[in-house]
């Protein structure tokens, strides 16, 4: 297993990092928690850069490339909200479309989504069904050449700015989770109403409630076979759980470097040494460094497993659990190191805690990841001879 980047990939990595430091860093004042909102100009720049590009002949490479470039943008100081919005678009919508779409769906959607000219979202969660997929209640009925969707979705990242949603609904209620189907729903379709949600954290990734009131779509809007929604959902979850937080790891490194600099520059009056010279402070910084590095290697292993390996269920869950907990924990430790300045949101250290707290639940909570990992133990543990 070789996780090293080629020279060309490394060049792109550096270019993404530069793009982020020059154009994608939040311009909100350092002090205060002003809401930044969705960065349209930043999104356009990510599209022009080629972040969303997908090579249909080699989707695995496109998948890994997107994750590494998000990580690079994070190390350049890009806003986590923008990175999360980009991740939801790529891994929640574009990736399942590439894996399971028909040639006609590829021809229609991939150029639009691959340039970022149009924005995608993944709509699974419902007001009464978050962790429990089997409880999804959005219905599908067929009439001639059309399908009709009715129901409600919530907490959908990108919904207020999206052009298309990959939406999971229940077509065959008697079959449980095997009765789900997936649809590509243009957000301008009559009967679709989207309301922005007020959230705490990830201000740059707008979330919304979605109402579906007898939404009529051609049968060709179905992604995968009738009753194949679980496969689509798994494809999206594999990708999201593995890769959506790559940018957050990069962002945590950026925050660690800034915190280190802050502590090196901060001296008590009359003292030669800085706060960074205290061993306890150094140990906390070193702990953060270890935690992030361990999470990164698991992320890279997960990217490899999803594109080369055989187990695409437990690895994504392990990556999601480990990376989300690591970046939240590190953001919290960093805010504590800033102390009073952290409360004042210096270097956006308080914003980082809010942003990383939010992603503990996205793509399934830690409890749900543990359920998934536990369900695969008999297949993934080393055999005892
Ligand atoms: C930042 C963010 C972005 C999101 N983006 C999207 C999106 O783009 N599209 C989308 O469809 N959804 C999205 N979601 C929704 C997300 O998938 C759900 O929040 C998540 O699945 C949990 O569902 P819930 O919030 O309804 O919690 P609940 O299911 O109500 O869970 C509440 C608590 O019970 C625990 N719990 C529930 N079931 C079990 C179980 N079986 N075993 C053990 N513990 C359990 C949970 O761990 C949690 O602690 C997003 C959420 C967040 C926070």
């Amino acid at each position: 297993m070789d996780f090293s980047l080629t020279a060309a990939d490394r060049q792109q990595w550096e270019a993404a990092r530069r793009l982020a430091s020059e154009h994608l860093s939040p311009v909100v004042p350092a002090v205060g928690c002003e809401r930044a909102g969705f960065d349209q100009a930043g999104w356009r720049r990510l599209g022009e850069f080629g972040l969303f590009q997908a090579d249909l002949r080699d989707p695995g490479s496109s998948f890994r490339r997107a994750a590494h470039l998000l990580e690079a943008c994070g190390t350049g100081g890009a806003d986590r909200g923008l990175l999360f919005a980009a991740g939801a678009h790529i891994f929640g919508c574009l990736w399942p479309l590439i894996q399971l779409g028909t040639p006609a769906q590829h021809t229609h959607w991939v150029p639009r989504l691959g340039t970022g000219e149009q924005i995608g979202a993944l709509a699974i969660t419902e007001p009464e069904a978050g962790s429990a997929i089997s409880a999804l209640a959005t219905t599908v009925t067929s009439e001639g050449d059309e399908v009709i969707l009715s129901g409600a979705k919530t907490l959908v990242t990108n919904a207020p700015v999206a052009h298309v949603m990959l939406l999971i609904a229940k077509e065959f209620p008697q079959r449980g989770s095997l009765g789900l189907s997936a649809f590509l729903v243009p957000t301008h379709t009559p009967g679709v109403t989207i309301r922005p949600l007020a959230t705490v954290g990830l201000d740059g990734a707008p979330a919304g409630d979605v109402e579906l009131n007898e939404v009529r779509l051609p049968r060709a809007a179905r992604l995968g076979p009738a009753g194949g929604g679980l496969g689509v959902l798994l494809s999206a979850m594999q990708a999201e759980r593995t890769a959506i937080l790559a940018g957050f790891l990069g962002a945590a490194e950026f925050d660690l470097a800034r915190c280190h600099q802050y502590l090196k520059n901060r001296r008590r009056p009359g003292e030669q040494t800085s706060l960074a010279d205290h061993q306890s402070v150094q140990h906390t910084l070193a702990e953060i460094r270890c935690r992030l590095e361990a999470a990164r290697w698991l992320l890279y292993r997960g990217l490899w497993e999803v594109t080369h390996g055989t187990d695409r269920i437990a690895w994504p869950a392990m990556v999601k659990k480990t990376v989300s907990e690591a970046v939240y924990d590190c953001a919290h430790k960093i805010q504590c190191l800033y102390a009073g300045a952290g409360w004042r949101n210096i270097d956006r250290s308080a914003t980082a805690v809010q942003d990383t707290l939010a992603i503990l639940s996205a793509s399934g909570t830690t409890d749900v990841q543990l359920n998934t990992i536990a369900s695969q133990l008999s297949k993934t543990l080393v055999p005892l001879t």
Side-chain angles (χ1 to χ4, degrees):
M1 238 172 258
D2 179 2
F3 300 149
S4 56
L5 299 179
T6 63
D9 289 345
R10 171 58 58 186
Q11 257 184 3
Q12 277 216 329
W13 205 95
E14 289 301 338
R17 186 176 144 80
R18 269 199 311 280
L19 170 81
S21 67
E22 288 165 20
H23 300 292
L24 306 179
S25 302
V27 288
V28 293
V31 179
C33 292
E34 292 80 358
R35 292 180 73 86
F38 181 63
D39 178 2
Q40 284 280 2
W43 183 273
R44 251 195 323 277
R45 284 187 188 276
L46 287 174
E48 285 159 10
F49 182 81
L51 176 70
F52 312 124
Q53 264 167 25
D55 181 352
L56 288 168
R57 289 158 308 168
D58 188 3
S61 296
S62 302
F63 174 70
R64 289 192 303 278
R65 172 182 174 275
H68 286 303
L69 292 180
L70 281 176
E71 185 191 4
C73 287
T75 64
D79 173 53
R80 285 176 178 82
L82 180 64
L83 297 180
F84 190 73
H89 168 85
I90 301 168
F91 306 117
C93 186
L94 186 53
W95 172 255
L97 173 66
I98 287 170
Q99 280 209 308
L100 301 158
T102 60
Q105 286 169 333
H106 286 167
T107 304
H108 182 81
W109 289 113
V110 174
R112 291 171 170 81
L113 297 174
T115 52
E117 166 203 335
Q118 296 205 343
I119 299 176
L122 173 66
I124 304 173
T125 307
E126 298 182 356
E128 303 303 325
S131 307
I133 296 305
S134 54
L136 291 180
T138 295
T139 58
V140 188
T141 49
S142 294
E143 204 177 284
D145 278 345
E146 289 184 326
V147 289
I148 305 165
L149 305 182
S150 291
K153 297 287 174 183
T154 190
L155 296 172
V156 178
T157 304
N158 290 345
V161 292
H163 300 85
V164 62
M165 288 178 294
L166 172 52
L167 189 139
I168 309 289
K170 190 167 262 184
E171 186 157 19
F172 307 105
Q174 66 287 5
R175 293 194 209 158
S177 55
L178 295 179
L180 300 173
S181 298
F183 300 90
L184 290 159
V185 184
T187 50
H188 64 258
T189 312
V192 175
T193 308
I194 295 175
R195 292 184 195 87
L197 276 177
T199 52
V200 176
L202 293 178
D203 298 345
D209 276 338
V210 180
E211 199 182 300
L212 303 147
N213 191 2
E214 302 207 348
V215 176
R216 286 176 178 271
L217 297 168
R219 280 177 189 274
R222 193 192 295 282
L223 184 67
L230 185 61
V232 177
L233 191 148
L234 286 176
S235 162
M237 283 302 111
Q238 282 160 7
E240 276 200 0
R241 289 175 177 177
T242 308
I244 203 167
L245 299 181
F248 284 59
L249 267 181
E253 271 199 68
F254 176 78
D255 289 349
L256 177 59
R258 275 204 304 193
C259 180
H260 184 222
Q261 189 178 49
Y262 171 85
L263 294 166
K264 275 202 313 192
N265 292 339
R266 193 160 163 81
R267 288 182 160 71
R268 291 206 186 109
E271 281 189 13
Q272 291 305 309
T273 56
S274 74
L275 295 188
D277 293 318
H278 289 294
Q279 194 178 44
S280 63
V281 169
Q282 289 173 358
H283 282 187
T284 306
L285 293 168
E287 283 285 359
I288 296 170
R289 181 88 187 79
C290 291
R291 193 84 197 267
L292 295 180
E293 202 57 38
R296 189 205 327 280
W297 287 104
L298 189 58
L299 165 75
Y300 288 4
R301 173 76 189 263
L303 294 174
W304 188 93
E305 291 291 342
V306 166
T307 49
H308 294 89
T310 49
D311 169 15
R312 293 173 189 171
I313 297 177
W315 280 104
M318 288 195 283
V319 175
K320 164 65 190 19
K321 176 190 180 299
T322 306
V323 175
S324 61
E325 290 177 356
V327 293
Y328 171 65
D329 217 42
C330 293
H332 181 236
K333 282 192 168 75
I334 286 173
Q335 192 190 12
C336 291
L337 283 171
Y338 279 104
W343 186 36
R344 298 180 63 216
N345 204 19
I346 296 290
D347 287 345
R348 292 172 58 83
S349 50
T351 302
V353 173
Q354 289 181 340
D355 289 352
T356 53
L357 183 62
I359 51 93
L360 289 176
S361 312
S363 309
T365 63
T366 287
D367 292 317
V368 167
Q369 309 306 334
L370 287 172
N371 287 346
T372 304
I373 298 160
S375 74
Q376 301 299 305
L377 281 181
S378 55
K379 292 185 207 155
T380 54
L381 291 179
V382 287
L384 297 176
T385 49

